[in-house]
């Protein structure tokens, strides 16, 4: 059996779940390539962990993603696992429906993942092995009043992964979509929304790693919220909107 050190590429590694995943994979003996826009945060990771390599990337820049993948291949660091964690979260309904907010959300949350898969897939297919995981959200299951600009990007990611799964299977590659509920991160710390079953970023990262180790297609948690939101998807709209309004504390944000 090969003793080659496995390589994980964590995109969006400078905070929250991405940062915690870096720590978990380092502890598990992996070489970690950490990417994000905040160079100073990446440098902190490399100083704390000798097995972390910083690779600054702006996921909204097509050329930067292309160059990052080319650099990894050239350096013999084509990842065994890539986890796309980059995301922005603008809380609100109609108030967030500006072109700047919505284009930024879609470009970061969705098109960044598309660019990553587009550049990585051919190389992983040629090698015959590899795993890509995309962090979406339970908010992608259905429209929620506080996520008018955020939820659609996550719904798109779920749909994307469902559409690509057969192609990954034929190429002997693994694809996962990760749908967390509320997680304590910089994006949620100032939120006044009701956040049932909220968990810390470290706990979320541990659940994600466990699912990725098993190569599950969907990794979703916490179970009570997953079950409730999946059930909502099958309800008639009159019941759906009534329950969504109640769960949001009748404070649908405009």
């Amino acid at each position: 059996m090969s003793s080659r050190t496995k390589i994980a590429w964590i995109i969006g590694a400078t905070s929250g779940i991405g940062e915690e995943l870096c720590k978990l994979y380092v502890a598990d003996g992996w070489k970690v390539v950490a990417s994000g826009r905040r160079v100073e945060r990446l440098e902190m990771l490399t100083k704390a962990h000798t097995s972390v390599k910083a690779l600054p990337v702006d996921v909204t820049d097509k050329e930067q993603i292309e160059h990052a993948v080319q650099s990894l291949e050239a350096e013999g660091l084509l990842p065994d696992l890539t986890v796309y964690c980059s995301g922005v979260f603008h809380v609100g309904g109609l108030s967030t429906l500006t072109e700047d907010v919505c284009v930024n959300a879609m470009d970061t949350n969705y098109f960044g993942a598309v660019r990553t898969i587009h550049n990585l897939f051919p190389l992983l297919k040629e090698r015959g092995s590899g795993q890509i995981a995309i962090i979406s959200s339970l908010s992608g299951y259905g429209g929620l009043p506080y996520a008018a600009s955020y939820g659609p990007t996550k719904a798109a990611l779920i749909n994307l992964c469902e559409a690509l799964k057969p192609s990954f299977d034929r190429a002997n590659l693994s694809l996962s979509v990760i749908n967390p509920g509320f997680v304590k991160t910089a994006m949620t710390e100032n939120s006044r929304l009701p956040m049932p079953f909220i968990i810390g970023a470290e706990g979320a990262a541990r659940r994600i790693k466990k699912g990725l180790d098993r190569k599950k297609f969907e990794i979703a948690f916490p179970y009570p919220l997953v079950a409730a939101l999946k059930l909502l998807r099958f309800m008639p709209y009159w019941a759906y909107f009534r329950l969504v309004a109640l769960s949001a504390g009748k404070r649908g944000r405009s």
Side-chain angles (χ1 to χ4, degrees), residues 7-8 13 44 48 70 80 82 126 147 149 155 168 194 220 236 238:
I7 301 166
M44 289 173 63
Q70 291 168 2
D80 299 280
T82 300
E126 182 179 359
S149 63
F168 272 70
W238 67 265

Side-chain angles (χ1 to χ4, degrees), residues 11 57-62 65 84 86 104-119 134 157 160:
I11 305 172
V57 168
D58 180 348
V59 298
T60 67
D61 188 316
K62 174 185 175 182
I65 291 288
Y84 187 85
S86 292
N104 175 250
M106 189 62 76
D107 204 11
T108 303
N109 299 357
Y110 178 74
F111 283 112
V114 169
R115 295 178 186 108
T116 300
I117 295 171
H118 173 75
N119 285 279
I134 305 296
L157 287 175
L160 174 69

Side-chain angles (χ1 to χ4, degrees), residues 7-11 33 35 55 62 65-74 77-84 112-134 164 168 171 173-175:
I7 301 166
W9 185 19
I10 311 297
I11 305 172
V33 180
S35 288
L55 180 60
K62 174 185 175 182
I65 291 288
E66 291 176 351
H67 179 71
V69 173
Q70 291 168 2
S71 296
L72 292 176
E73 183 188 26
L77 294 174
L78 193 64
D80 299 280
L81 167 67
T82 300
V83 187
Y84 187 85
V114 169
R115 295 178 186 108
T116 300
I117 295 171
H118 173 75
N119 285 279
L120 265 182
F121 183 86
L123 300 177
L124 299 180
K125 181 180 179 180
E126 182 179 359
R127 185 177 67 185
S129 65
Q131 183 176 9
I132 296 178
I134 305 296
L164 294 180
F168 272 70
L173 305 176
S174 179
L175 177 65

Side-chain angles (χ1 to χ4, degrees), residues 33-229:
V33 180
S35 288
R37 289 186 297 181
R38 291 185 288 175
V39 175
E40 71 283 357
R41 295 287 298 178
L42 294 177
E43 290 176 347
M44 289 173 63
L45 277 171
T46 60
K47 289 178 181 178
H49 307 283
T50 57
S51 57
V52 173
K53 169 185 171 62
L55 180 60
V57 168
D58 180 348
V59 298
T60 67
D61 188 316
K62 174 185 175 182
E63 292 184 356
Q64 285 194 33
I65 291 288
E66 291 176 351
H67 179 71
V69 173
Q70 291 168 2
S71 296
L72 292 176
E73 183 188 26
E75 296 177 34
L77 294 174
L78 193 64
D80 299 280
L81 167 67
T82 300
V83 187
Y84 187 85
C85 305
S86 292
V88 293
F89 179 29
H90 301 280
V91 180
L94 288 170
S95 62
T96 67
L97 292 188
T98 67
E99 182 173 348
D100 287 346
V101 167
C102 291
V103 169
N104 175 250
M106 189 62 76
D107 204 11
T108 303
N109 299 357
Y110 178 74
F111 283 112
V114 169
R115 295 178 186 108
T116 300
I117 295 171
H118 173 75
N119 285 279
L120 265 182
F121 183 86
L123 300 177
L124 299 180
K125 181 180 179 180
E126 182 179 359
R127 185 177 67 185
S129 65
Q131 183 176 9
I132 296 178
I134 305 296
I135 292 192
S136 180
S137 167
L138 292 182
S139 66
Y141 283 178
L144 299 172
Y146 57 82
S149 63
Y150 175 77
T153 69
K154 298 302 184 176
L157 287 175
I158 294 171
N159 192 293
L160 174 69
C161 291
E162 291 171 346
L164 294 180
K165 181 66 163 61
S167 296
F168 272 70
D169 289 344
R170 287 192 295 270
N172 195 37
L173 305 176
S174 179
L175 177 65
S176 298
V177 60
I178 302 163
N179 294 320
F182 295 105
V183 179
K184 291 180 182 177
T185 66
M187 288 196 299
T188 61
E189 63 182 359
N190 295 319
S191 175
R192 292 176 293 169
L193 293 170
M195 292 188 283
F197 307 107
I198 190 169
I199 64 173
E202 181 181 357
R206 290 188 181 281
R207 295 190 190 196
I208 290 167
K209 186 177 183 302
K210 182 177 179 180
L212 292 178
D213 288 346
R214 296 166 58 189
K215 296 191 175 180
K216 294 181 64 177
F217 172 67
E218 185 187 21
I219 302 165
F221 55 89
Y223 179 75
L225 197 55
V226 173
L229 289 174

